[in-house]
Amino acid sequence: MNLNSALYTDLYQLAMGQSYFLKEKHKVSATFDYFFRKTPFEGGYVLFSGLEEVLDWLETVAFSEDDIAYLTAQGFNSDYIEYLKNFKFTGHIQSMQEGEIIFPFSPILTVTGSIIECQIIETFILNALNFQSLIATKASRIRYISGEEKSLAEFGLRRAQGYAGLQASRASFIGGFDYTSNVLAGKLYCIPVSGTMAHAYIQSYDDELTAFRDFAETRPVNCVLLVDTYDTLKSGIPNAIIVAKEMEARGERLLGIRLDSGDLAYLSKAGRKQLDEAGLEYVKIAASNQLDEHVIRSLKEQQAQIDIYGVGTNLVVGKENGALDGVYKLCSFNDTPRIKISENLKKMNFPGKKQVYRYMNENGLYIADAITLDHLEAPKTMAHPFETHKRMAIEYATVKPLLHDVMIDGKRVHAKKSTAELVQITKDNLSKLPTEHKRFDNPHVYKVGLSPELEALRDQLKKEKLMS
Ligand SMILES: Nc1ncnc2c1ncn2[C@@H]1O[C@H](COP(=O)(O)OP(=O)(O)OP(=O)(O)O)[C@@H](O)[C@H]1O
Ligand SMILES: O=P(O)(O)OC[C@H]1O[C@H](OP(=O)(O)OP(=O)(O)O)[C@H](O)[C@@H]1O
Ligand SMILES: O=C(O)c1cccnc1
């Protein structure tokens, strides 16, 4: 499967492309904004992820000979087909950095280029950014509630939505996980891999102790024994203790045990006691079984003795939200601002090419974002995007623009960032987000406003459209 194929798009993009081309409109310059309207998980923020993959794709995207044959068979016009043979992305991308904390309605990434190119690449951009930002956000919530001292392993590949399991592993790592069980993701994205053992392995033996012994003998380093196949406290942990002692005699150390069912708080406390009484304070306790940020919060409240959380399904499918609602909207055409009218102010877009400024207090904490037109300085006042009577003076210590050139004429401006760099950037950004936006229950809404100039332009275009 060639994922760099420009066919990784929706048919309507190619149909519009054909019309732009045949009507000789395809070279007209356009700008599109990528933004989302609602934070997932009833949370207070989103963690931006997927940018490097978008840039990789844009640098190499093309229609192969096979793709062209396929489109010809679909009945596309032959002159348009000739154009598509040499298709590549030659436009300009401005974006917030991957690992940035982002909020509803701000443009996160903008694409400027010929309308035909902007349109054909839309679907991939949405596909990559919506999914990876959703999962990175979920991962960051799990990290937040677990605390820095816990180890987090992503176990989701088997339950992920097909190949999205790869992107989920990458986004989970950027969002704060330490390990993945997904070996291909480990190789592709330089994520440390970790793994324990399955029930099948223990079931394949007549007795649990021999199963543990053989496993420890063949994998003495990072050995974690799954203790819940028969009876966690009466059989699993006692057998793990025997094997840990045998390992000690060989100069080895059992890394841990894993609980995968039952009351994880009770079993972890009782298990810790058994291990400690056997002098095995260093043996860690891992837990898995449909964990998410809410279960982990509850386990913490119960003082569960868990050192490592293994999280699969709920992380990689972004439960309770199957998708981030990010959209890609035309805001400028032929250097003229464009607007889409709707009864619902929230469904209208903000016209023109824009910049987003982030304001910080004297401690460097984020306090508000203002969206303005791209040639303007950071505004000193801003209006609520939809409740037009609400406006505020912004009191801040420092301010910075968030949208920067990342691609010019279809080429990356900076070297590709490694996943390790993105992890650091994310940590740094999350540390600047006040905790009231991170809490799970009724998080405080982060203020995003419009500069007076952008508000005036939106209102003027709305009026003109309604009168025309
Ligand atoms: N002490 C606890 N507090 C809160 N949630 C817990 C606790 N222990 C386990 N859970 C969570 O409760 C959910 C269901 O666990 P439950 O014990 O009902 O099923 P189970 O152990 O998987 O059952 P089975 O033995 O059939 O596999 C899981 O999401 C699990 O992570
Ligand atoms: O619960 P999740 O967060 O999705 O975490 C992944 C789950 O996948 C495995 O179970 P599975 O029953 O697939 O295999 P097993 O026989 O190894 O337990 C593992 O034991 C976890 O329970
Ligand atoms: O290594 C593990 O324990 C593991 C891997 C994938 C899914 N569940 C558990």
Side-chain angles (χ1 to χ4, degrees), residues 387-414:
E387 295 170 40
T388 49
H389 58 284
K390 287 190 187 163
R391 46 200 72 236
M392 61 181 261
I394 313 164
E395 281 169 30
Y396 63 96
T398 54
V399 61
K400 61 177 182 185
L402 294 183
L403 290 172
H404 296 284
D405 289 338
V406 292
M407 183 168 259
I408 292 180
D409 297 335
K411 295 272 164 289
R412 264 193 171 85
V413 172
H414 306 289

Side-chain angles (χ1 to χ4, degrees), residues 128-320:
L129 300 185
N130 282 335
F131 180 67
Q132 292 182 55
S133 299
L134 180 82
I135 304 307
T137 307
K138 184 80 174 172
S140 73
R141 288 164 61 81
I142 295 173
R143 168 55 73 193
Y144 172 68
I145 202 65
S146 305
E148 286 301 321
E149 68 288 0
K150 301 292 178 192
S151 291
L152 297 178
E154 176 266 313
F155 283 170
L157 184 58
R158 65 190 55 204
R159 309 255 150 61
Q161 326 290 34
Y163 292 113
L166 264 183
Q167 294 172 318
S169 299
R170 178 183 182 275
S172 300
F173 186 58
I174 289 171
F177 270 59
D178 301 297
Y179 305 100
T180 181
S181 65
N182 179 342
V183 186
L184 183 56
K187 175 175 175 244
L188 291 177
Y189 307 124
C190 295
I191 306 174
V193 286
S194 77
T196 72
M197 55 164 50
H199 295 104
Y201 176 81
I202 297 155
Q203 289 169 268
S204 75
Y205 282 78
D206 290 336
D207 70 292
E208 192 181 46
L209 181 58
T210 312
F212 284 0
R213 274 196 178 120
D214 280 3
F215 195 74
E217 193 189 309
T218 53
R219 190 177 165 80
V221 177
N222 293 335
C223 177
V224 179
L225 302 172
L226 176 61
V227 293
D228 74 333
T229 308
Y230 303 118
D231 186 320
T232 302
L233 297 179
K234 292 202 183 115
S235 152
I237 298 182
N239 282 332
I241 289 172
I242 294 171
V243 171
K245 290 289 173 191
E246 291 171 357
M247 290 178 82
E248 276 184 356
R250 296 198 293 270
E252 298 160 357
R253 281 193 152 201
L254 177 67
L255 176 66
I257 59 165
R258 176 162 72 99
L259 307 170
D260 189 46
S261 59
D263 183 326
L264 297 175
Y266 168 75
L267 290 174
S268 66
K269 284 188 264 190
R272 182 75 271 158
K273 193 155 172 278
Q274 289 187 8
L275 290 167
D276 290 354
E277 280 171 4
L280 295 169
E281 291 85 357
Y282 62 85
V283 173
K284 296 191 187 321
I285 300 185
S288 52
N289 187 17
Q290 294 295 312
L291 298 178
D292 65 8
E293 64 271 48
H294 305 292
V295 175
I296 292 175
R297 173 162 74 170
S298 169
L299 291 171
K300 218 172 140 181
E301 282 163 7
Q302 298 167 66
Q303 275 117 38
Q305 297 291 305
I306 297 168
D307 308 292
I308 304 165
Y309 290 112
V311 190
T313 316
N314 294 328
L315 169 60
V316 300
V317 306
K319 200 178 169 193
E320 302 286 332

